[in-house]
Amino acid sequence: MSIARNQGTLTRSIAAHAALLTWTVIALFPVFVIVINSVKSRRVIFADPLALPTAETFDLVGYQTVLAQGDFLLYFTNSMIVTMASLFFVLLFGAMAAFALSEYRFRGNLLMGLYLALGIMIPIRLGTVAILQMMVATGLVNTRTALVLVYTAQGLPLAIFILSEFMRNVSSDLKNAGRIDGLSEYTIFFRLVLPLVRPAMATVAVFTLIPIWNDLWFPLILAPGESVKTITLGSQVFIGQFVTNWNAVLAALSLAIVPVLVLYLIFSRHLIRGITAGAVK
Amino acid sequence: MGALTLTNVTKSFGSTDVIKGVDLQVEHGEFCVFVGPSGCGKSTLLRMIAGLEDVTGGDVMIDGERVNDRAPAKREIAMVFQSYALYPHLDVRANMGLALKQAGVARDEIRAMTDKAAGMLSLDALMDRRPAELSGGQRQRVAIGRAIVRRPKLFLFDEPLSNLDAALRVQTRIEIARLHRELGATMVYVTHDQVEAMTLADRIVVLRAGRVEQVGAPMDLYKDPANTFVAGFIGSPQMNFLKGAALGMRSETVGLRPEHLRPDNDGPISGSVSHVEKLGGETLVYVTTEAHGLLTLRLFGEHDYDVDSVLRLGFDAARAFHFGADGLRLRD
Ligand SMILES: Nc1ncnc2c1ncn2[C@@H]1O[C@H](COP(=O)(O)OP(=O)(O)OP(=O)(O)O)[C@@H](O)[C@H]1O
Ligand SMILES: [Mg+2]
């Protein structure tokens, strides 16, 4: 009886793991192909794209080209600045708006919430022309500020939507205890509520971070200047109309994965860890 | 002037009226308990006193001062919540001292005051732990300690014991009673547990649907309820309500406490035993009657009755409460 049940769970666990593994392989395959090909010589990339690099085919020419290109570090820094700044503002303003929407009763609360969430369904790219005109008018074309502003606007709707759901679940007794003890609303927000919604913040951070880092559209339109190029845009120099330097493109892409990976690892620690335990009940 | 005075206090959420005009005076050092069924507005009223909820109409006065528009922290109150509501990122000492720190009290003084409160509640050994490292009962003691440290004019409790198991509940209840005696503080306590209400209160306020039904000392409410609601709410097991007409009495409803019914072969009520509960010291007999529905009978000591056997019941007419058709007590 119990053996039969054990077998049942075993089969089920094998099935679950098989499904997860398949999914992982499918998801990681493109990344894997990019990384292995980035360290192969040009001929082998085309001759046998799926082969692992061997001693003969191993070639770091892509990385050499990319690093020798000189501006690569600059592009990298630009991407980093734009992404981190946008992320910071999305999380800060998103959390504040979510707190206001979930905590305070005021006229138009619901409408305001709907309005702020509407952006999830309407792609910001539809407004590209208007955004470009605005940036031209304010003289922000070819600045990182332009990108930060656009990405903050792009990330806020989802952030507010997710965070306000989570903040509704933070014990109101806890906030009220803070009020009775004389904490200001800001302290309640920063010290009591934010730490409790940290897992949600990490989720939002990951969802916000990746599209910004990978975006090609807005850098191309709003900030194509040499000094403010992001890495995704910078990598495009290797893709020509007639010749494409695949070694360099693949190397640049491989390098571009690293920071997202690092940031993801940082946030995912919080995704798992919850500190609500013991706060209430 | 009392420690707390409510004058025609009302509260509406949008178009729903939750508190419909409450007048109440709580004296200094009094232990006042709000009881009532779920959703009657006990917590809302308490939160209005604390300043966590705006007052729609009427006045809230604490120690003679009108505090309607004063922030919670400025009202000199302390509140203990059902869910403990300890700050998860602070240890016990910091949890207890936070209000003083916010008020700008010097560090040594905070330490002295938290130590004193910790001593009263035997929390000394736990001062450096975080809430996550405490048991439920310890957490609630810390929450009570946090309230004591502030030396408030008014203590507010919102069902502080309902998350605790039975044994711990009794223990903490006794502790709260002791604290009330030692501190001589004014306390307002919300519960729907009538044992807590009866044992702790100097005065009980029975609420129903946002209105005060009756205010009085526990025994006064028990012996002299103003209407069927209070009569049914105070006392356990619940009072039996019998049809006056079926007993040949002029009142609409006759209320009889379970202990005032007795087996009596010449009694006016007949029914059949539907269930017997023996509790050692007493026996509860449930009797189904044609005229009055299910009646509860409470007998001292141990008694045996067969289920479905026929039983006649009698009562002492002097013990009966008479109520009119509107539920109000009829006093001759
Ligand atoms: N923010 C709110 N908006 C609308 N209605 C509310 C709000 N808070 C409470 N109410 C309503 O007010 C009524 C009283 O609620 P309250 O929490 O005071 O009840 P209670 O007596 O404490 O009940 P319980 O014993 O279950 O805690 C309920 O009917 C509730 O639905
Ligand atoms: Mg309540």
Side-chain angles (χ1 to χ4, degrees):
Chain A
M1 165 70 198
S2 84
I3 292 172
R5 186 171 328 128
N6 278 347
Q7 266 169 357
T9 41
L10 190 66
T11 338
R12 217 176 317 155
S13 130
I14 290 176
H17 280 88
L20 290 172
L21 277 174
T22 317
W23 188 85
T24 313
V25 169
I26 294 173
L28 286 182
F29 189 67
V31 179
F32 175 71
V33 172
I34 289 176
V35 173
I36 57 168
N37 281 312
S38 71
V39 293
K40 291 199 301 204
S41 62
R42 182 178 172 80
R43 183 198 307 272
V44 193
I45 294 178
F46 286 101
D48 195 355
L50 295 184
L52 290 172
T54 61
E56 294 144 57
T57 60
F58 185 77
D59 193 346
L60 284 177
V61 68
Y63 289 89
Q64 280 153 5
T65 322
V66 167
L67 294 176
Q69 196 77 17
D71 291 339
F72 190 79
L73 200 64
L74 175 69
Y75 302 157
F76 202 88
T77 322
N78 286 337
S79 266
M80 217 51 189
I81 292 174
V82 168
T83 307
M84 293 312 283
S86 312
L87 192 59
F88 175 77
F89 288 123
V90 167
L91 289 180
L92 179 70
F93 296 136
M96 286 176 135
F99 184 70
L101 286 176
S102 63
E103 183 63 16
Y104 304 122
R105 284 193 292 269
F106 54 89
R107 197 183 295 274
N109 181 318
L110 192 68
L111 279 180
M112 185 70 123
L114 279 177
Y115 168 73
L116 288 173
L118 212 59
I120 300 173
M121 287 154 268
I122 302 174
I124 193 169
R125 289 182 189 188
L126 288 181
T128 304
V129 174
I131 291 174
L132 182 58
Q133 283 170 342
M134 268 197 289
M135 294 302 172
V136 170
T138 45
L140 287 174
V141 174
N142 270 334
T143 60
R144 287 175 291 239
T145 316
L147 291 178
V148 171
L149 288 175
V150 171
Y151 290 142
T152 306
Q154 171 188 314
L156 276 178
L158 191 65
I160 294 173
F161 184 72
I162 294 180
L163 291 176
S164 59
E165 270 324 300
F166 272 81
M167 286 191 187
R168 256 182 264 281
N169 292 332
V170 173
S171 146
S172 55
D173 283 356
L174 187 63
K175 294 176 268 195
N176 286 335
R179 292 196 178 106
I180 288 178
D181 278 350
L183 301 182
S184 70
E185 292 297 311
Y186 281 98
T187 319
I188 290 174
F189 171 69
F190 283 112
R191 303 302 302 276
L192 295 183
V193 176
L194 275 195
L196 292 178
V197 296
R198 213 152 56 168
M201 297 280 279
T203 315
V204 170
V206 169
F207 278 116
T208 310
L209 166 81
I210 292 167
I212 297 178
W213 183 267
N214 291 340
D215 191 34
L216 182 60
W217 180 266
F218 284 111
L220 189 60
I221 293 166
L222 297 179
E226 193 54 33
S227 63
V228 290
K229 263 187 194 169
T230 60
I231 192 158
T232 7
L233 186 55
S235 312
Q236 304 300 313
V237 298
F238 305 117
I239 302 182
Q241 193 177 353
F242 305 108
V243 214
T244 296
N245 185 345
W246 283 109
N247 291 87
V249 171
L250 293 173
L253 289 177
S254 302
L255 287 175
I257 293 170
V258 177
V260 199
L261 204 62
V262 170
L263 286 175
Y264 176 78
L265 288 177
I266 293 175
F267 289 125
S268 64
R269 239 164 33 95
H270 295 297
L271 282 179
I272 298 157
R273 190 166 59 188
I275 61 153
T276 28
V280 283
K281 172 77 187 163
Chain B
M1 200 83 249
L4 169 72
T5 311
L6 304 179
T7 323
N8 194 21
V9 167
T10 59
K11 173 74 190 176
S12 312
F13 290 110
S15 57
T16 36
D17 299 329
V18 174
I19 302 293
K20 300 161 189 163
V22 169
D23 288 293
L24 181 70
Q25 171 133 343
V26 180
E27 301 304 332
H28 284 282
E30 193 173 19
F31 200 121
C32 177
V33 175
F34 293 176
V35 292
S38 187
C40 69
K42 306 181 293 289
S43 300
T44 306
L45 193 55
L46 198 71
R47 290 155 49 81
M48 287 161 78
I49 298 169
L52 299 168
E53 206 76 74
D54 293 332
V55 176
T56 308
D59 285 330
V60 178
M61 319 258 281
I62 293 176
D63 211 12
E65 284 176 76
R66 185 173 178 276
V67 294
N68 283 32
D69 305 312
R70 207 178 280 181
K74 299 268 185 300
R75 294 190 181 195
E76 298 183 61
I77 50 146
M79 188 154 171
V80 178
F81 298 88
Q82 178 178 353
S83 63
Y84 319 138
L86 298 178
Y87 309 118
H89 61 296
L90 298 177
D91 63 16
V92 169
R93 180 181 299 284
N95 258 287
M96 289 169 60
L98 187 67
L100 298 176
K101 192 172 147 211
Q102 290 299 121
V105 177
R107 190 181 295 213
D108 321 337
E109 209 171 326
I110 295 180
R111 199 170 173 94
M113 288 164 93
T114 47
D115 279 341
K116 184 156 169 250
M120 292 177 82
L121 289 158
S122 2
L123 289 170
D124 316 71
L126 308 173
M127 291 308 265
D128 298 320
R129 296 215 200 152
R130 299 251 173 141
E133 299 158 346
L134 300 175
S135 73
Q138 290 169 334
R139 281 178 207 166
Q140 196 54 292
R141 289 225 304 283
V142 173
I144 294 171
R146 181 171 67 180
I148 295 176
V149 166
R150 312 190 51 187
R151 301 178 193 221
K153 285 183 180 159
L154 189 59
F155 282 92
L156 305 174
F157 294 88
D158 192 354
E159 307 201 19
L161 308 184
S162 19
N163 280 351
L164 304 179
D165 65 44
L168 212 48
R169 203 178 296 179
V170 174
Q171 198 182 325
T172 316
R173 192 174 78 207
I174 293 170
E175 199 139 14
I176 291 177
R178 182 177 61 83
L179 282 173
H180 176 242
R181 261 195 320 275
E182 283 176 14
L183 298 169
T186 316
M187 297 187 171
V188 178
Y189 187 106
V190 166
T191 180
H192 57 238
D193 180 321
Q194 58 146 314
V195 178
E196 272 170 42
M198 300 292 278
T199 52
L200 286 172
D202 292 325
R203 220 147 49 106
I204 295 181
V205 178
V206 183
L207 290 165
R208 172 162 67 159
R211 285 210 173 78
V212 174
E213 289 286 315
Q214 194 175 358
V215 182
M219 279 307 130
D220 291 347
L221 295 191
Y222 185 81
K223 288 181 187 150
D224 193 13
N227 52 40
T228 47
F229 180 78
V230 176
F233 202 80
I234 304 287
S236 168
Q238 220 195 2
M239 181 184 277
N240 296 301
F241 293 108
L242 294 80
K243 302 249 178 335
L247 294 171
M249 291 176 167
R250 58 191 167 76
S251 51
E252 173 78 13
T253 309
V254 176
L256 276 170
R257 299 238 175 245
E259 52 269 38
H260 297 149
L261 272 173
R262 59 170 189 264
D264 180 352
N265 288 333
D266 307 322
I269 309 160
S270 91
S272 62
V273 175
S274 74
H275 185 61
V276 180
E277 287 179 346
K278 292 186 198 170
L279 301 172
E282 64 187 31
T283 305
L284 299 179
V285 185
Y286 297 91
V287 179
T288 315
T289 64
E290 193 99 329
H292 314 288
L294 187 71
L295 300 180
T296 314
L297 186 64
R298 182 188 208 168
L299 301 171
F300 189 73
E302 201 185 325
H303 297 266
D304 274 318
Y305 288 98
D306 292 330
V307 168
D308 285 339
S309 63
V310 174
L311 189 63
R312 286 200 79 84
L313 305 173
F315 60 91
D316 182 354
R319 297 283 202 178
F321 297 98
H322 296 276
F323 302 96
D326 53 3
L328 290 181
R329 180 87 174 278
L330 298 175
R331 299 168 203 266
D332 12 56

PDB file of all heavy atoms in Angstrom, chain B residues 158-173:
ATOM      1  N   ASP B 158      -8.109  44.953  21.203  1.00  0.00           N
ATOM      2  CA  ASP B 158      -9.054  44.409  20.228  1.00  0.00           C
ATOM      3  C   ASP B 158      -8.884  42.892  20.143  1.00  0.00           C
ATOM      4  O   ASP B 158      -7.981  42.406  19.485  1.00  0.00           O
ATOM      5  CB  ASP B 158      -8.850  45.042  18.848  1.00  0.00           C
ATOM      6  CG  ASP B 158     -10.005  44.718  17.914  1.00  0.00           C
ATOM      7  OD1 ASP B 158     -10.879  43.924  18.307  1.00  0.00           O
ATOM      8  OD2 ASP B 158     -10.030  45.259  16.796  1.00  0.00           O
ATOM      9  N   GLU B 159      -9.718  42.173  20.833  1.00  0.00           N
ATOM     10  CA  GLU B 159      -9.680  40.706  20.879  1.00  0.00           C
ATOM     11  C   GLU B 159      -8.261  40.166  21.027  1.00  0.00           C
ATOM     12  O   GLU B 159      -7.797  39.389  20.196  1.00  0.00           O
ATOM     13  CB  GLU B 159     -10.319  40.121  19.617  1.00  0.00           C
ATOM     14  CG  GLU B 159     -11.698  40.675  19.374  1.00  0.00           C
ATOM     15  CD  GLU B 159     -12.535  39.790  18.479  1.00  0.00           C
ATOM     16  OE1 GLU B 159     -12.200  38.596  18.335  1.00  0.00           O
ATOM     17  OE2 GLU B 159     -13.533  40.282  17.942  1.00  0.00           O
ATOM     18  N   PRO B 160      -7.544  40.586  22.085  1.00  0.00           N
ATOM     19  CA  PRO B 160      -6.127  40.232  22.174  1.00  0.00           C
ATOM     20  C   PRO B 160      -5.886  38.741  22.372  1.00  0.00           C
ATOM     21  O   PRO B 160      -4.795  38.265  22.125  1.00  0.00           O
ATOM     22  CB  PRO B 160      -5.648  41.015  23.394  1.00  0.00           C
ATOM     23  CG  PRO B 160      -6.870  41.224  24.205  1.00  0.00           C
ATOM     24  CD  PRO B 160      -8.002  41.354  23.241  1.00  0.00           C
ATOM     25  N   LEU B 161      -6.893  38.006  22.813  1.00  0.00           N
ATOM     26  CA  LEU B 161      -6.648  36.610  23.161  1.00  0.00           C
ATOM     27  C   LEU B 161      -7.156  35.624  22.125  1.00  0.00           C
ATOM     28  O   LEU B 161      -6.965  34.418  22.266  1.00  0.00           O
ATOM     29  CB  LEU B 161      -7.293  36.291  24.520  1.00  0.00           C
ATOM     30  CG  LEU B 161      -6.929  37.241  25.663  1.00  0.00           C
ATOM     31  CD1 LEU B 161      -7.544  36.763  26.955  1.00  0.00           C
ATOM     32  CD2 LEU B 161      -5.421  37.359  25.808  1.00  0.00           C
ATOM     33  N   SER B 162      -7.797  36.104  21.068  1.00  0.00           N
ATOM     34  CA  SER B 162      -8.481  35.119  20.211  1.00  0.00           C
ATOM     35  C   SER B 162      -7.548  34.282  19.365  1.00  0.00           C
ATOM     36  O   SER B 162      -7.964  33.278  18.821  1.00  0.00           O
ATOM     37  CB  SER B 162      -9.553  35.765  19.338  1.00  0.00           C
ATOM     38  OG  SER B 162      -9.364  37.110  19.230  1.00  0.00           O
ATOM     39  N   ASN B 163      -6.269  34.677  19.241  1.00  0.00           N
ATOM     40  CA  ASN B 163      -5.349  33.815  18.502  1.00  0.00           C
ATOM     41  C   ASN B 163      -4.622  32.806  19.391  1.00  0.00           C
ATOM     42  O   ASN B 163      -3.786  32.066  18.916  1.00  0.00           O
ATOM     43  CB  ASN B 163      -4.309  34.649  17.755  1.00  0.00           C
ATOM     44  CG  ASN B 163      -4.863  35.209  16.466  1.00  0.00           C
ATOM     45  OD1 ASN B 163      -5.961  34.841  16.056  1.00  0.00           O
ATOM     46  ND2 ASN B 163      -4.132  36.088  15.831  1.00  0.00           N
ATOM     47  N   LEU B 164      -4.937  32.825  20.683  1.00  0.00           N
ATOM     48  CA  LEU B 164      -4.214  31.942  21.607  1.00  0.00           C
ATOM     49  C   LEU B 164      -5.037  30.691  21.892  1.00  0.00           C
ATOM     50  O   LEU B 164      -6.256  30.700  21.772  1.00  0.00           O
ATOM     51  CB  LEU B 164      -3.946  32.686  22.917  1.00  0.00           C
ATOM     52  CG  LEU B 164      -3.187  34.007  22.797  1.00  0.00           C
ATOM     53  CD1 LEU B 164      -3.013  34.638  24.161  1.00  0.00           C
ATOM     54  CD2 LEU B 164      -1.836  33.798  22.135  1.00  0.00           C
ATOM     55  N   ASP B 165      -4.353  29.616  22.277  1.00  0.00           N
ATOM     56  CA  ASP B 165      -5.111  28.406  22.606  1.00  0.00           C
ATOM     57  C   ASP B 165      -5.732  28.546  24.000  1.00  0.00           C
ATOM     58  O   ASP B 165      -5.411  29.455  24.753  1.00  0.00           O
ATOM     59  CB  ASP B 165      -4.249  27.147  22.485  1.00  0.00           C
ATOM     60  CG  ASP B 165      -3.126  27.140  23.489  1.00  0.00           C
ATOM     61  OD1 ASP B 165      -3.380  27.471  24.661  1.00  0.00           O
ATOM     62  OD2 ASP B 165      -1.992  26.827  23.114  1.00  0.00           O
ATOM     63  N   ALA B 166      -6.629  27.610  24.333  1.00  0.00           N
ATOM     64  CA  ALA B 166      -7.497  27.782  25.502  1.00  0.00           C
ATOM     65  C   ALA B 166      -6.716  28.031  26.795  1.00  0.00           C
ATOM     66  O   ALA B 166      -7.021  28.963  27.536  1.00  0.00           O
ATOM     67  CB  ALA B 166      -8.412  26.580  25.644  1.00  0.00           C
ATOM     68  N   ALA B 167      -5.683  27.200  27.048  1.00  0.00           N
ATOM     69  CA  ALA B 167      -4.958  27.322  28.312  1.00  0.00           C
ATOM     70  C   ALA B 167      -4.258  28.681  28.417  1.00  0.00           C
ATOM     71  O   ALA B 167      -4.322  29.368  29.432  1.00  0.00           O
ATOM     72  CB  ALA B 167      -3.933  26.201  28.424  1.00  0.00           C
ATOM     73  N   LEU B 168      -3.622  29.061  27.307  1.00  0.00           N
ATOM     74  CA  LEU B 168      -2.886  30.318  27.274  1.00  0.00           C
ATOM     75  C   LEU B 168      -3.839  31.507  27.408  1.00  0.00           C
ATOM     76  O   LEU B 168      -3.504  32.540  27.967  1.00  0.00           O
ATOM     77  CB  LEU B 168      -2.146  30.388  25.942  1.00  0.00           C
ATOM     78  CG  LEU B 168      -0.819  31.121  25.924  1.00  0.00           C
ATOM     79  CD1 LEU B 168       0.048  30.662  27.070  1.00  0.00           C
ATOM     80  CD2 LEU B 168      -0.129  30.850  24.604  1.00  0.00           C
ATOM     81  N   ARG B 169      -5.035  31.300  26.870  1.00  0.00           N
ATOM     82  CA  ARG B 169      -6.027  32.368  26.923  1.00  0.00           C
ATOM     83  C   ARG B 169      -6.400  32.667  28.375  1.00  0.00           C
ATOM     84  O   ARG B 169      -6.447  33.815  28.791  1.00  0.00           O
ATOM     85  CB  ARG B 169      -7.263  31.925  26.135  1.00  0.00           C
ATOM     86  CG  ARG B 169      -8.086  33.063  25.651  1.00  0.00           C
ATOM     87  CD  ARG B 169      -9.251  32.569  24.839  1.00  0.00           C
ATOM     88  NE  ARG B 169      -8.813  31.881  23.626  1.00  0.00           N
ATOM     89  CZ  ARG B 169      -9.653  31.335  22.767  1.00  0.00           C
ATOM     90  NH1 ARG B 169     -10.954  31.373  22.990  1.00  0.00           N
ATOM     91  NH2 ARG B 169      -9.200  30.754  21.682  1.00  0.00           N
ATOM     92  N   VAL B 170      -6.611  31.614  29.148  1.00  0.00           N
ATOM     93  CA  VAL B 170      -6.959  31.798  30.559  1.00  0.00           C
ATOM     94  C   VAL B 170      -5.814  32.497  31.285  1.00  0.00           C
ATOM     95  O   VAL B 170      -6.003  33.467  32.010  1.00  0.00           O
ATOM     96  CB  VAL B 170      -7.252  30.440  31.221  1.00  0.00           C
ATOM     97  CG1 VAL B 170      -7.471  30.607  32.710  1.00  0.00           C
ATOM     98  CG2 VAL B 170      -8.462  29.798  30.570  1.00  0.00           C
ATOM     99  N   GLN B 171      -4.598  32.014  31.019  1.00  0.00           N
ATOM    100  CA  GLN B 171      -3.420  32.566  31.685  1.00  0.00           C
ATOM    101  C   GLN B 171      -3.252  34.049  31.362  1.00  0.00           C
ATOM    102  O   GLN B 171      -3.036  34.876  32.243  1.00  0.00           O
ATOM    103  CB  GLN B 171      -2.214  31.776  31.173  1.00  0.00           C
ATOM    104  CG  GLN B 171      -0.990  31.869  31.999  1.00  0.00           C
ATOM    105  CD  GLN B 171       0.118  31.061  31.323  1.00  0.00           C
ATOM    106  OE1 GLN B 171      -0.143  30.012  30.718  1.00  0.00           O
ATOM    107  NE2 GLN B 171       1.326  31.558  31.398  1.00  0.00           N
ATOM    108  N   THR B 172      -3.365  34.404  30.075  1.00  0.00           N
ATOM    109  CA  THR B 172      -3.176  35.792  29.668  1.00  0.00           C
ATOM    110  C   THR B 172      -4.311  36.671  30.189  1.00  0.00           C
ATOM    111  O   THR B 172      -4.105  37.834  30.529  1.00  0.00           O
ATOM    112  CB  THR B 172      -3.077  35.893  28.142  1.00  0.00           C
ATOM    113  OG1 THR B 172      -2.240  34.851  27.672  1.00  0.00           O
ATOM    114  CG2 THR B 172      -2.496  37.224  27.716  1.00  0.00           C
ATOM    115  N   ARG B 173      -5.507  36.071  30.274  1.00  0.00           N
ATOM    116  CA  ARG B 173      -6.646  36.820  30.795  1.00  0.00           C
ATOM    117  C   ARG B 173      -6.374  37.215  32.240  1.00  0.00           C
ATOM    118  O   ARG B 173      -6.588  38.363  32.641  1.00  0.00           O
ATOM    119  CB  ARG B 173      -7.883  35.922  30.716  1.00  0.00           C
ATOM    120  CG  ARG B 173      -9.171  36.618  30.950  1.00  0.00           C
ATOM    121  CD  ARG B 173     -10.308  35.658  30.700  1.00  0.00           C
ATOM    122  NE  ARG B 173     -10.506  34.744  31.806  1.00  0.00           N
ATOM    123  CZ  ARG B 173     -11.029  33.527  31.690  1.00  0.00           C
ATOM    124  NH1 ARG B 173     -11.372  33.077  30.505  1.00  0.00           N
ATOM    125  NH2 ARG B 173     -11.200  32.775  32.750  1.00  0.00           N
TER     126      ARG B 173
END
